[in-house]
Amino acid sequence: MTTPNLFRCAAVLAFSLAASAALANPSVAPGLWEYRSAMKTNDPAMQQAMAEAQKALASMPPEQRRQMEQMMAAQGMGISASGSGGPSTSFRVCITPEQAARQELPPPDDKCTHRITGRTANSMKFAIECPAEKTRGEGEMVFANARAYDGRFTMQQVQGGKTMKMESTIVARWVSADCGSIKPAK
């Protein structure tokens, strides 16, 4: 896997895990949620790729950036060129009352598996493994209340005898009971 692919994989996993955590915690309110995620890495090539992505986003002509932001917003996602240590990404997810009531992780896709490794009244620990990508990780979500939680996770991948590590933080906030045009998470 190339460095940009690990970055893309980590971003997708951050989104998936944030939404999964909401579905797996008994105290999460159904409705529209917004997630913000920031990533950093120990790999200089990946740091450079992330910096170049930030630079490209910041230097886009206003009309092109607006079109990209509108396209992403229609899918409940957004990306920001700001953020310390790496790009800051935001996205929105709709969680139905039925999904919130299940209190379990959604079924994993065919590339990755994830499982809850520990749970308390206000936190959830999890592990994830993606054999095809030779990537594994772990993390924890801490729930402040039914409408807010924060989390962090780390991912590791050995590539060419070198261990690459990526750390992500997630901030999740409930927006409203009405999801508007955002379709429920699957």
Side-chain angles (χ1 to χ4, degrees):
M1 174 187 293
T2 64
T3 296
N5 285 342
L6 181 61
F7 173 70
R8 181 181 46 77
C9 179
V12 169
L13 287 173
F15 300 152
S16 173
L17 290 169
S20 295
L23 295 174
N25 190 281
S27 63
V28 171
L32 184 63
W33 281 78
E34 181 172 79
Y35 300 92
R36 295 190 183 279
S37 176
M39 293 175 242
K40 62 182 179 177
T41 180
N42 69 338
D43 180 51
M46 187 179 292
Q47 286 175 347
Q48 182 179 350
M50 291 185 332
E52 288 172 10
Q54 281 183 306
K55 188 177 177 182
L57 183 64
S59 65
M60 264 185 197
E63 180 61 24
Q64 184 181 7
R65 182 178 174 130
R66 186 179 63 73
Q67 287 175 347
M68 185 181 86
E69 288 172 346
Q70 286 177 341
M71 179 184 71
M72 293 179 78
Q75 299 174 14
M77 300 175 68
I79 188 163
S80 170
S82 63
S84 59
S88 174
T89 307
S90 67
F91 66 104
R92 290 183 169 198
V93 172
C94 180
I95 297 173
T96 67
E98 296 79 20
Q99 289 170 324
R102 276 191 291 236
Q103 302 175 22
E104 61 189 28
L105 292 172
D109 65 18
D110 52 343
K111 294 181 183 177
C112 300
T113 59
H114 48 79
R115 61 187 162 79
I116 297 171
T117 59
R119 192 185 295 209
T120 68
N122 70 337
S123 70
M124 179 187 76
K125 292 183 179 183
F126 57 87
I128 188 162
E129 189 167 347
C130 306
E133 305 289 344
K134 299 179 182 169
T135 303
R136 64 180 170 81
E138 59 186 20
E140 180 176 22
M141 301 291 179
V142 178
F143 299 83
N145 56 50
R147 296 181 175 185
Y149 66 91
D150 299 333
R152 56 115 196 114
F153 78 93
T154 59
M155 292 179 54
Q156 300 88 31
Q157 180 184 50
V158 177
Q159 197 174 52
K162 180 181 171 189
T163 300
M164 291 190 297
K165 186 175 184 180
M166 179 171 281
E167 297 177 6
S168 291
T169 58
I170 297 168
V171 175
R173 299 296 180 258
W174 183 85
V175 177
S176 75
D178 181 8
C179 292
S181 64
I182 307 289
K183 301 291 182 212
K186 292 183 181 184

